Amino acid sequence: MKERLLAAAGPVLGLALFALAIGILHHELAAYHYDDIVARFASIPQHRLALSVLLTALGYFALTGYDTLAMRWIRSPLRYPRIALASFIAYVFSHNVGLSFFGGSAVRYRMFTSWGVSAPDLARAISFNLITFWLGYLTVAGVALALDPIALPGSWHAAVATSR
């Protein structure tokens, strides 16, 4: 009996959290009306909507490169379509659910291990993914700050005037 209750606790908790999320969304969106949203959406030029969809798709395509590089680094025999599928789903969870490192890693673990990637290899791949992702961010930040430095307050240090 206790085992059946424990087995049912997960789905019941999931449903309760889903109902709570729906209630919060209903409360937060109560000030907006459907017709207003449709009118605002219709006021956006079609070419801008198409461009936004295209750039979003290109962004997710670029993100699959991190997982592809990581899988090649650990010498995984997985082909690109599988890597891209797992990467896309993991990034969707990471970007939309929150706790990006944990959510995306859990999805990667579930999918890649079911396709034969060992847990230690996957840990190496996720570490590689994390390091290359942050190296990319830091490189872009360094280039941006070098090209367009930020003026720092004089109280920080008299000898340092900008972020350069």
Side-chain angles (χ1 to χ4, degrees):
M1 178 70 175
K2 183 178 179 182
E3 293 168 354
R4 290 179 65 193
L5 287 174
L6 285 175
V12 168
L13 179 63
L15 285 173
L17 289 174
F18 182 72
L20 178 66
I22 294 294
I24 291 171
L25 278 174
H26 179 70
H27 179 266
E28 292 295 320
L29 298 176
Y32 301 100
H33 300 287
Y34 179 76
D35 294 334
D36 295 335
I37 294 170
V38 171
R40 292 283 182 140
F41 195 68
S43 70
I44 300 172
Q46 293 294 320
H47 70 279
R48 290 201 182 241
L49 287 175
L51 182 62
S52 68
V53 169
L54 175 66
L55 291 175
T56 300
L58 285 174
Y60 277 104
F61 174 72
L63 288 172
T64 65
Y66 289 107
D67 286 310
T68 303
L69 284 173
M71 288 295 141
R72 296 301 172 247
W73 184 65
I74 64 168
R75 298 187 187 352
S76 171
L78 290 178
R79 311 274 297 159
Y80 178 75
R82 279 196 171 179
I83 296 169
L85 175 66
S87 179
F88 175 76
I89 293 171
Y91 278 114
V92 166
F93 272 88
S94 295
H95 293 159
N96 295 301
V97 175
L99 296 172
S100 62
F101 178 70
F102 298 111
S105 297
V107 170
R108 284 180 181 86
Y109 178 82
R110 178 76 174 179
M111 294 182 80
F112 285 130
T113 56
S114 71
W115 293 329
V117 177
S118 69
D121 279 346
L122 186 58
R124 287 178 40 228
I126 290 172
S127 298
F128 179 90
N129 193 341
L130 183 70
I131 290 168
T132 56
F133 187 78
W134 278 104
L135 280 174
Y137 266 153
L138 294 174
T139 300
V140 169
V143 169
L145 290 174
L147 295 176
D148 189 18
I150 298 171
L152 300 176
S155 62
W156 282 20
H157 194 280
V160 179
T162 69
S163 59
R164 185 176 292 154

